Amino acid sequence: KHAGSTRCEVYRSVARASFSALAMPHMAAPMRLFGKQNVRNVLIKRQAHRTGMLILCSMLTLAAGLEEQACFDTAGDATDSYNESCSFYDELPYICGGVWDDSDFTVSAMCCACGGGQTQSAATTTASTSMEATTTATASAACFDTAGNATDSYNESCLYYDESPYMCGGWFDDSDFTVNAMCCACGGGTQSAATTTASTSMEATTTATASAACFDTAGNATDS
């Protein structure tokens, strides 16, 4: 990336030097003879063989920096002395010598293609995470049969009624066994103190907020 950028700058420097020659004293005679516009067109054509490489360099440079920042021209409606805006220099970045700058247009300061303009930092994303805790309490009590070794008239203990709760009518109670009072399966027995079990679950919510800086693009222009 660094080597590519350096090579691009070399191409631009050579091309700008060619166009800056328009301002040199030795160009005065050709411009008077052929006209400044014609000389300008000739120089543009002479640089045409560099166009492909320069445009490629510009595209590679743009692609390399795209993730980091965006650039915006700041010329507004201002144009150079030939009524060309920054879009003209976007297509022909190798003529960024500033030869056609005028009172309200400075290509090197206002046009991104020529190293000017205003850069805007890429949008930054800020993530915030909030945690919400939910606690669920569950109360439970244990039941214990109270018959001990006592059995019903058929020598069945509470274990029998645990397996056959539909027999809880008390038909086989005897003097030391009352199924509905002694067996948990039939609504008897004794209850232990209730125990409470608490479980806590955490839920994370992440909110992403994208923001970008804003820059005015009026440059030096003012209202009426």
PDB file of all heavy atoms in Angstrom, residues 158-168 185-186:
ATOM      1  N   CYS A 158     -48.490 -47.786  54.223  1.00  0.00           N
ATOM      2  CA  CYS A 158     -48.730 -46.608  53.366  1.00  0.00           C
ATOM      3  C   CYS A 158     -48.094 -46.762  51.993  1.00  0.00           C
ATOM      4  O   CYS A 158     -48.535 -46.123  51.017  1.00  0.00           O
ATOM      5  CB  CYS A 158     -48.190 -45.358  54.053  1.00  0.00           C
ATOM      6  SG  CYS A 158     -49.198 -44.738  55.408  1.00  0.00           S
ATOM      7  N   LEU A 159     -47.058 -47.606  51.877  1.00  0.00           N
ATOM      8  CA  LEU A 159     -46.408 -47.801  50.573  1.00  0.00           C
ATOM      9  C   LEU A 159     -47.400 -48.354  49.541  1.00  0.00           C
ATOM     10  O   LEU A 159     -47.329 -48.009  48.357  1.00  0.00           O
ATOM     11  CB  LEU A 159     -45.214 -48.747  50.717  1.00  0.00           C
ATOM     12  CG  LEU A 159     -44.013 -48.220  51.533  1.00  0.00           C
ATOM     13  CD1 LEU A 159     -42.943 -49.305  51.659  1.00  0.00           C
ATOM     14  CD2 LEU A 159     -43.442 -46.967  50.880  1.00  0.00           C
ATOM     15  N   TYR A 160     -48.288 -49.177  49.995  1.00  0.00           N
ATOM     16  CA  TYR A 160     -49.302 -49.728  49.101  1.00  0.00           C
ATOM     17  C   TYR A 160     -50.184 -48.622  48.529  1.00  0.00           C
ATOM     18  O   TYR A 160     -50.494 -48.614  47.328  1.00  0.00           O
ATOM     19  CB  TYR A 160     -50.159 -50.745  49.864  1.00  0.00           C
ATOM     20  CG  TYR A 160     -51.387 -51.203  49.115  1.00  0.00           C
ATOM     21  CD1 TYR A 160     -51.277 -52.145  48.091  1.00  0.00           C
ATOM     22  CD2 TYR A 160     -52.640 -50.683  49.434  1.00  0.00           C
ATOM     23  CE1 TYR A 160     -52.413 -52.547  47.408  1.00  0.00           C
ATOM     24  CE2 TYR A 160     -53.768 -51.084  48.754  1.00  0.00           C
ATOM     25  CZ  TYR A 160     -53.653 -52.021  47.732  1.00  0.00           C
ATOM     26  OH  TYR A 160     -54.779 -52.430  47.051  1.00  0.00           O
ATOM     27  N   TYR A 161     -50.528 -47.663  49.382  1.00  0.00           N
ATOM     28  CA  TYR A 161     -51.400 -46.571  48.940  1.00  0.00           C
ATOM     29  C   TYR A 161     -50.638 -45.549  48.067  1.00  0.00           C
ATOM     30  O   TYR A 161     -51.252 -44.844  47.268  1.00  0.00           O
ATOM     31  CB  TYR A 161     -52.067 -45.914  50.153  1.00  0.00           C
ATOM     32  CG  TYR A 161     -53.007 -46.852  50.849  1.00  0.00           C
ATOM     33  CD1 TYR A 161     -52.585 -47.629  51.932  1.00  0.00           C
ATOM     34  CD2 TYR A 161     -54.317 -46.978  50.418  1.00  0.00           C
ATOM     35  CE1 TYR A 161     -53.453 -48.512  52.561  1.00  0.00           C
ATOM     36  CE2 TYR A 161     -55.189 -47.876  51.047  1.00  0.00           C
ATOM     37  CZ  TYR A 161     -54.748 -48.635  52.101  1.00  0.00           C
ATOM     38  OH  TYR A 161     -55.605 -49.518  52.706  1.00  0.00           O
ATOM     39  N   ASP A 162     -49.311 -45.508  48.267  1.00  0.00           N
ATOM     40  CA  ASP A 162     -48.527 -44.660  47.364  1.00  0.00           C
ATOM     41  C   ASP A 162     -48.667 -45.163  45.927  1.00  0.00           C
ATOM     42  O   ASP A 162     -48.728 -44.367  44.980  1.00  0.00           O
ATOM     43  CB  ASP A 162     -47.045 -44.687  47.758  1.00  0.00           C
ATOM     44  CG  ASP A 162     -46.763 -43.915  49.044  1.00  0.00           C
ATOM     45  OD1 ASP A 162     -47.615 -43.060  49.411  1.00  0.00           O
ATOM     46  OD2 ASP A 162     -45.714 -44.165  49.675  1.00  0.00           O
ATOM     47  N   GLU A 163     -48.692 -46.483  45.766  1.00  0.00           N
ATOM     48  CA  GLU A 163     -48.791 -47.077  44.437  1.00  0.00           C
ATOM     49  C   GLU A 163     -50.236 -47.165  43.941  1.00  0.00           C
ATOM     50  O   GLU A 163     -50.485 -47.211  42.741  1.00  0.00           O
ATOM     51  CB  GLU A 163     -48.189 -48.486  44.457  1.00  0.00           C
ATOM     52  CG  GLU A 163     -46.701 -48.502  44.803  1.00  0.00           C
ATOM     53  CD  GLU A 163     -46.174 -49.917  44.990  1.00  0.00           C
ATOM     54  OE1 GLU A 163     -46.992 -50.862  44.884  1.00  0.00           O
ATOM     55  OE2 GLU A 163     -44.965 -50.072  45.220  1.00  0.00           O
ATOM     56  N   SER A 164     -51.198 -47.173  44.911  1.00  0.00           N
ATOM     57  CA  SER A 164     -52.624 -47.313  44.544  1.00  0.00           C
ATOM     58  C   SER A 164     -53.450 -46.274  45.293  1.00  0.00           C
ATOM     59  O   SER A 164     -54.255 -46.605  46.183  1.00  0.00           O
ATOM     60  CB  SER A 164     -53.120 -48.727  44.876  1.00  0.00           C
ATOM     61  OG  SER A 164     -52.303 -49.708  44.273  1.00  0.00           O
ATOM     62  N   PRO A 165     -53.258 -44.961  44.958  1.00  0.00           N
ATOM     63  CA  PRO A 165     -53.970 -43.912  45.706  1.00  0.00           C
ATOM     64  C   PRO A 165     -55.485 -43.979  45.548  1.00  0.00           C
ATOM     65  O   PRO A 165     -56.223 -43.409  46.366  1.00  0.00           O
ATOM     66  CB  PRO A 165     -53.388 -42.623  45.112  1.00  0.00           C
ATOM     67  CG  PRO A 165     -52.891 -43.012  43.758  1.00  0.00           C
ATOM     68  CD  PRO A 165     -52.410 -44.420  43.886  1.00  0.00           C
ATOM     69  N   TYR A 166     -55.965 -44.684  44.535  1.00  0.00           N
ATOM     70  CA  TYR A 166     -57.419 -44.815  44.342  1.00  0.00           C
ATOM     71  C   TYR A 166     -58.062 -45.748  45.377  1.00  0.00           C
ATOM     72  O   TYR A 166     -59.284 -45.876  45.425  1.00  0.00           O
ATOM     73  CB  TYR A 166     -57.711 -45.342  42.932  1.00  0.00           C
ATOM     74  CG  TYR A 166     -56.943 -46.589  42.553  1.00  0.00           C
ATOM     75  CD1 TYR A 166     -57.409 -47.851  42.914  1.00  0.00           C
ATOM     76  CD2 TYR A 166     -55.751 -46.483  41.844  1.00  0.00           C
ATOM     77  CE1 TYR A 166     -56.702 -48.994  42.576  1.00  0.00           C
ATOM     78  CE2 TYR A 166     -55.036 -47.615  41.493  1.00  0.00           C
ATOM     79  CZ  TYR A 166     -55.509 -48.876  41.858  1.00  0.00           C
ATOM     80  OH  TYR A 166     -54.806 -50.001  41.516  1.00  0.00           O
ATOM     81  N   MET A 167     -57.241 -46.354  46.269  1.00  0.00           N
ATOM     82  CA  MET A 167     -57.760 -47.233  47.325  1.00  0.00           C
ATOM     83  C   MET A 167     -57.863 -46.500  48.664  1.00  0.00           C
ATOM     84  O   MET A 167     -57.994 -47.127  49.706  1.00  0.00           O
ATOM     85  CB  MET A 167     -56.850 -48.458  47.484  1.00  0.00           C
ATOM     86  CG  MET A 167     -56.766 -49.328  46.253  1.00  0.00           C
ATOM     87  SD  MET A 167     -58.354 -50.082  45.823  1.00  0.00           S
ATOM     88  CE  MET A 167     -58.505 -51.277  47.159  1.00  0.00           C
ATOM     89  N   CYS A 168     -57.795 -45.127  48.603  1.00  0.00           N
ATOM     90  CA  CYS A 168     -57.749 -44.337  49.847  1.00  0.00           C
ATOM     91  C   CYS A 168     -59.133 -44.149  50.494  1.00  0.00           C
ATOM     92  O   CYS A 168     -59.358 -43.147  51.186  1.00  0.00           O
ATOM     93  CB  CYS A 168     -57.136 -42.966  49.549  1.00  0.00           C
ATOM     94  SG  CYS A 168     -55.347 -42.992  49.239  1.00  0.00           S
ATOM     95  N   ALA A 185     -50.190 -40.233  50.594  1.00  0.00           N
ATOM     96  CA  ALA A 185     -50.883 -40.484  49.335  1.00  0.00           C
ATOM     97  C   ALA A 185     -52.387 -40.274  49.459  1.00  0.00           C
ATOM     98  O   ALA A 185     -53.073 -40.016  48.463  1.00  0.00           O
ATOM     99  CB  ALA A 185     -50.598 -41.908  48.860  1.00  0.00           C
ATOM    100  N   CYS A 186     -52.908 -40.338  50.690  1.00  0.00           N
ATOM    101  CA  CYS A 186     -54.342 -40.200  50.903  1.00  0.00           C
ATOM    102  C   CYS A 186     -54.693 -38.893  51.616  1.00  0.00           C
ATOM    103  O   CYS A 186     -55.801 -38.736  52.156  1.00  0.00           O
ATOM    104  CB  CYS A 186     -54.859 -41.396  51.705  1.00  0.00           C
ATOM    105  SG  CYS A 186     -54.598 -42.974  50.848  1.00  0.00           S
TER     106      CYS A 186
END
